[in-house]
Structure formats: C-alpha cells, structure tokens
C-alpha cells in the first residue's frame, strides 16, 4: 500500500534544508568580501554553523528515509528508463554533496586552527585557508547548485509534460 505523500519528517527536512541553503549560499558568496580574521569571525561562524546543521539534517534524513522505505509515495511516471536513471542520479548526488560540501568546509576552518579560538584560545595569526580545500569546497557547492537547479527544473518540466503536480507529495 503506497502513501500519497512523503513522511512528515522528510517533508520538514526537505524545506528546512531549502531555507537554510538560501541563507548559506547568500553568506557564502559574501564571505569573499570579508577577510578571515577575528573581526569577521561571526560571519564565518554563522555560515559554518548553518552548514553543519544541513550536514546533520541530511544524515537524519537518510536514516529516516531508510526506516520508511515502505511509506514513500509510489515512483513517478518516468518518461523512459533514461529519465528514471537521471532522477535517481540527481537525488543521489544531491545527498552526496549535502554531506561532502559542509564536511570540506569544516576541515577548511579546522585546518586554520580557528576552532581553538571558539574554545577560548587566541585567533590564529595569519589564518589562511588551504587553497586546495577552498577549491574543493567551491567545486562541491557549485555542483550542488547545478543539481538543485536540475531538480527544480525537473519538477516543473514534469508538471508541464504530464499535468501532474508532484509538489503535493512534498507538501504536508
Ligand atoms: C551545504 C553547506 C554549504 C554550502 C552550500 C556552502 C557554500 C559556500 C559558498 C557558495 C561559498 C563561497 C564560494 C567559495 O569561495 O567557495 C562558501 C565559502 C566558504 N565556506 Fe561554505 N558552504 C557550506 C558549508 C560550509 C561549512 C560547514 C563550513 C565550515 C565549517 C564552510 C566554510 C566556508 C569557508 C571558510 C568559505 C570561504 C572560502 C574562501 O574564502 O575561499 N562552508 N561556502
Ligand atoms: C535546496 C533545494 C532543494 C534540495 C536540496 C532538494 C532535494 C530533494 C531530494 C534529494 C529529493 C528526493 C527525495 C527522496 O529521497 O526521495 C527531493 C524531492 C522533491 N523535491 Fe526537492 N529539493 C530542493 C528544492 C525543491 C524545490 C524548490 C521544489 C519545488 C519546485 C522541490 C520539489 C520536490 C519534490 C516535488 C520532490 C518529490 C519528488 C517525488 O515525488 O519523487 N524541491 N528534493
């Protein structure tokens, strides 16, 4: 027996993640205008805390999804096998990058020694992000953004092609 909607906790996490990501991307893109120093630490801290929150929410989301495999709505009417593969790859990669991007961000901050500042120590002098890690973080958040755009476009195109509004499945 299929449900018509996603389980409530998954719906809540889906939209909470959406709101958090808007704020995280906004702060992220403005970080480039602010040097990483003691005066700007709060800005970086907010970005980091919200990012780690997304990471934790995603782990909970994957766990809850596994526990509720038989309570998920039925598969949508895929146009063909290629479409089916594409949807599943996009969903899978979104989960991967929702974990990977904040993880790299965390290592980046950790590597500067700034975490000890949060624990009462001094701010590291000449704190600089590892260039490679910064590039990887940038690649991960850019990839995630592309996947999210594909995801949203997919929902809209499905609506146009089939006349069916699957958004209902993700609304309480
Ligand atoms: C899903 C979670 C995250 C998203 C979508 C995200 C997004 C972004 C974006 C768009 C930027 C600006 C582009 C860039 O220069 O890389 C950025 C920069 C940055 N993010 Fe994140 N971020 C996330 C999680 C985190 C976390 C958890 C941390 C640290 C704990 C972090 C630390 C940083 C730092 C330090 C920068 C500045 C990089 C630089 O100046 O080169 N991010 N992030
Ligand atoms: C930050 C932005 C977003 C992310 C990261 C995201 C991520 C996801 C993921 C991973 C799934 C798959 C759920 C599963 O595991 O079965 C999903 C489902 C869904 N998302 Fe999003 N989403 C985002 C924004 C949106 C927006 C803006 C819409 C509205 C157009 C939307 C509509 C849906 C719908 C309707 C489903 C259910 C698809 C189905 O019934 O199979 N999402 N989302």
């Amino acid at each position: 027996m299929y449900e018509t909607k996603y389980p409530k906790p998954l719906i809540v996490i889906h939209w909470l993640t959406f709101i958090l990501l808007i704020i995280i991307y906004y702060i992220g893109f403005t970080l480039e205008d602010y040097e990483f120093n003691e005066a700007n630490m709060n800005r970086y801290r907010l970005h980091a805390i919200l990012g780690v929150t997304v990471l934790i929410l995603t782990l909970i989301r994957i766990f809850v999804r596994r526990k509720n495999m038989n309570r998920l709505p039925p598969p949508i009417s895929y146009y063909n096998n290629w479409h089916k593969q594409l949807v599943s790859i996009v969903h899978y990669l979104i989960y991967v990058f929702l974990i990977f991007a904040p993880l790299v961000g965390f290592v980046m901050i950790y590597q500067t020694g700034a975490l000890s500042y949060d624990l009462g120590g001094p701010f590291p002098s000449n704190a600089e992000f590892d260039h490679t890690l910064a590039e990887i973080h940038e690649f991960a958040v850019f990839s995630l953004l592309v996947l999210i755009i594909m995801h949203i476009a997919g929902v809209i195109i499905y609506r146009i092609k089939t006349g069916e509004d699957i958004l209902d499945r993700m609304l309480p």
Side-chain angles (χ1 to χ4, degrees):
M1 182 55 198
Y2 279 121
E3 306 286 333
T4 52
K5 289 172 183 291
Y6 275 84
K8 278 243 171 61
L10 292 181
I11 295 178
V12 171
I13 297 178
H14 178 274
W15 295 111
L16 197 55
T17 303
F18 175 62
I19 295 165
L20 286 172
L21 284 180
I22 293 174
I23 305 170
I24 294 169
Y25 273 103
Y26 173 74
I27 303 175
F29 287 127
T30 61
L31 283 184
E32 287 172 7
D33 303 331
Y34 295 88
E35 253 183 76
F36 184 59
N37 56 31
E38 199 166 356
N40 295 328
M41 187 60 183
N42 273 343
R43 200 170 278 271
Y44 280 84
R45 205 179 262 145
L46 185 59
H47 180 81
I49 290 171
L50 297 182
V52 170
T53 306
V54 164
L55 166 64
I56 294 167
L57 283 176
T58 304
L59 295 176
I60 295 173
R61 182 173 181 178
I62 292 170
F63 179 77
V64 173
R65 194 185 191 284
R66 276 179 173 254
K67 284 264 166 199
N68 288 278
M69 282 306 260
N70 53 356
R71 292 191 54 231
L72 298 179
I76 58 168
S77 317
Y78 296 108
Y79 317 138
N80 50 43
N81 201 41
W82 189 85
H83 178 227
K84 184 177 175 184
Q85 300 290 337
L86 181 69
V87 171
S88 99
I89 289 171
V90 168
H91 285 174
Y92 182 82
L93 286 179
I94 287 179
Y95 288 129
V96 168
F97 283 115
L98 283 178
I99 294 170
F100 184 65
L103 212 58
V104 176
F106 182 84
V107 177
M108 234 160 107
I109 301 250
Y110 180 80
Q111 175 271 336
T112 63
L115 278 192
S116 57
Y117 171 70
D118 272 326
L119 300 172
F123 195 85
S125 53
N126 301 325
E128 248 186 65
F129 299 119
D130 180 270
H131 185 66
T132 312
L133 287 177
E135 295 265 305
I136 296 175
H137 186 63
E138 200 169 339
F139 163 78
V141 301
F142 178 75
S143 306
L144 180 61
L145 198 57
V146 170
L147 290 163
I148 291 171
I149 292 169
M150 286 174 75
H151 169 63
I152 297 172
V155 174
I156 297 169
I157 293 168
Y158 190 83
R159 170 72 217 255
I160 295 167
K161 274 184 101 142
T162 66
E164 196 194 325
D165 204 347
I166 43 171
L167 195 54
D168 271 353
R169 292 150 57 107
M170 215 17 123
L171 293 174

